[in-house]
């Protein structure tokens, strides 16, 4: 919704980064009507094995042959050009909304975003930065190690380590807007002001620390 806090956070990022001389492109998945489900329709032409369809194998081949659907390749082109990707969303059920999960499933294809040899610290996108920027429904205290929702760092681990760092991204600390829907107007304004201030130096920020690939034995199973 154009009147939502997430829209305001997105608008703030666009305004500040554009003013700094950055070229900013927005993928509004809802406005785009972005397809959520990962299916054989994501591949142009025939698939290798229609009887036992394996999405990861089929889309890798389609990517190599230039046969991925146009909506996927458009997003991959944006990603290939970007130095920084900000994922702006309202937290749903301790994760991302379905439409953003669909973007992750469909756009970060095998070969384009990762491979058996290129993951984590050796990942394809190791020269790019990415971050989560999101709103919660719960207060910050509820996402503490002793809070009812548990440690927010544990909640974000699958996204930050298992998705972004897996693809090699330098993962910046998340921008969390705690329960803006229940906050006073002045508090919401302050949240956006702090975000605006952070954006001024965002491109110079260092990424979070994750365990590098070479700390572990090689050769664990990979279905490519």
């Amino acid at each position: 919704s154009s009147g939502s806090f997430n829209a305001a956070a997105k608008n703030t990022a666009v305004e500040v980064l554009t003013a700094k001389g950055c070229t900013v492109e927005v993928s509004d998945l809802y406005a785009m009507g972005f397809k959520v489900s990962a299916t054989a329709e994501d591949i142009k032409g025939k698939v290798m094995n229609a009887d036992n369809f394996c999405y990861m194998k089929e889309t890798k081949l389609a990517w190599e042959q230039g046969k991925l659907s146009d909506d996927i390749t458009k997003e991959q082109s944006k990603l290939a050009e970007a130095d920084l990707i900000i994922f702006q969303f309202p937290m749903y059920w301790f994760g991302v909304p379905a439409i953003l999960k669909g973007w992750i499933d469909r756009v970060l294809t095998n070969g384009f975003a990762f491979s058996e040899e290129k993951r984590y610290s050796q990942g394809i996108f190791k020269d790019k930065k990415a971050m989560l920027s999101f709103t919660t429904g719960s207060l910050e205290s509820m996402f503490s190690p002793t809070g009812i929702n548990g440690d927010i760092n544990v909640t974000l681990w699958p996204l930050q380590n298992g998705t972004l760092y897996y693809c090699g991204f330098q993962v910046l600390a998340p921008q969390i807007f705690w329960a803006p829907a229940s906050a006073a107007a002045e508090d919401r304004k302050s949240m956006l002001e702090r975000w605006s201030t952070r954006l001024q130096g965002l491109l110079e920020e260092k990424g979070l620390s994750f365990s590098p690939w070479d700390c572990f034995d090689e050769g664990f199973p990979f279905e490519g």
Side-chain angles (χ1 to χ4, degrees):
S1 170
S2 60
S4 70
F5 189 91
N6 273 277
K10 179 267 294 181
N11 291 339
T12 299
V14 171
E15 291 167 7
V16 173
L17 293 174
T18 300
K20 287 179 63 64
C22 299
T23 299
V24 181
E25 189 159 7
V26 176
S27 290
D28 184 336
L29 301 184
Y30 291 105
M32 292 159 57
F34 191 79
K35 177 174 168 284
V36 175
S37 56
T39 68
E41 295 174 357
D42 294 343
I43 298 167
K44 297 177 180 178
K46 294 183 178 180
V47 299
M48 287 188 299
N49 188 345
D51 294 328
N52 185 21
F53 181 75
C54 175
Y55 189 84
M56 186 164 68
K57 291 180 179 179
E58 297 276 6
T59 51
K60 180 186 180 186
L61 181 62
W63 171 74
E64 292 171 343
Q65 297 178 344
K67 294 182 178 180
L68 286 173
S69 62
D70 292 341
D71 61 339
I72 292 177
T73 57
K74 286 179 181 178
E75 293 304 296
Q76 289 183 341
S77 294
K78 295 175 189 177
L79 198 54
E81 291 294 322
D83 297 308
L84 166 68
I85 300 92
I86 301 174
F87 294 88
Q88 183 66 55
F89 60 94
M91 179 176 277
Y92 280 13
W93 288 107
F94 295 77
V96 298
I99 198 165
L100 180 51
K101 181 58 166 62
W103 186 95
I104 291 170
D105 291 346
R106 299 180 64 231
V107 175
L108 300 182
T109 58
N110 186 10
F112 169 73
F114 65 92
S115 69
E116 183 172 4
E117 299 80 16
K118 296 181 179 181
R119 290 178 281 171
Y120 296 112
S121 57
Q122 304 301 319
I124 290 173
F125 298 143
K126 61 184 179 180
D127 294 326
K128 301 178 183 293
K129 295 179 178 180
M131 68 175 295
L132 307 177
S133 176
F134 61 93
T135 57
T136 68
S138 299
L139 299 173
E140 183 175 6
S141 59
M142 298 172 71
F143 275 106
S144 69
T146 56
I148 185 66
N149 291 337
D151 189 340
I152 188 64
N153 295 299
V154 176
T155 300
L156 298 181
W157 182 258
L159 282 170
Q160 294 192 145
N161 181 80
T163 300
L164 300 182
Y165 181 55
Y166 186 88
C167 295
F169 284 112
Q170 301 168 47
V171 184
L172 303 184
Q175 182 70 25
I176 308 174
F177 302 100
W178 300 105
S182 58
E186 280 301 311
D187 292 333
R188 290 195 295 272
K189 181 180 178 182
S190 295
M191 291 180 190
L192 293 174
E193 288 173 348
R194 290 193 293 272
W195 177 220
S196 179
T197 298
R198 183 184 178 189
L199 284 160
Q200 296 291 341
L202 193 64
L203 295 172
E204 287 72 49
E205 285 189 16
K206 301 296 183 182
L208 299 172
S209 178
F210 295 93
S211 298
W213 174 266
D214 54 12
C215 284
F216 300 89
D217 293 335
E218 296 181 356
F220 55 84
F222 178 86
E223 286 292 329

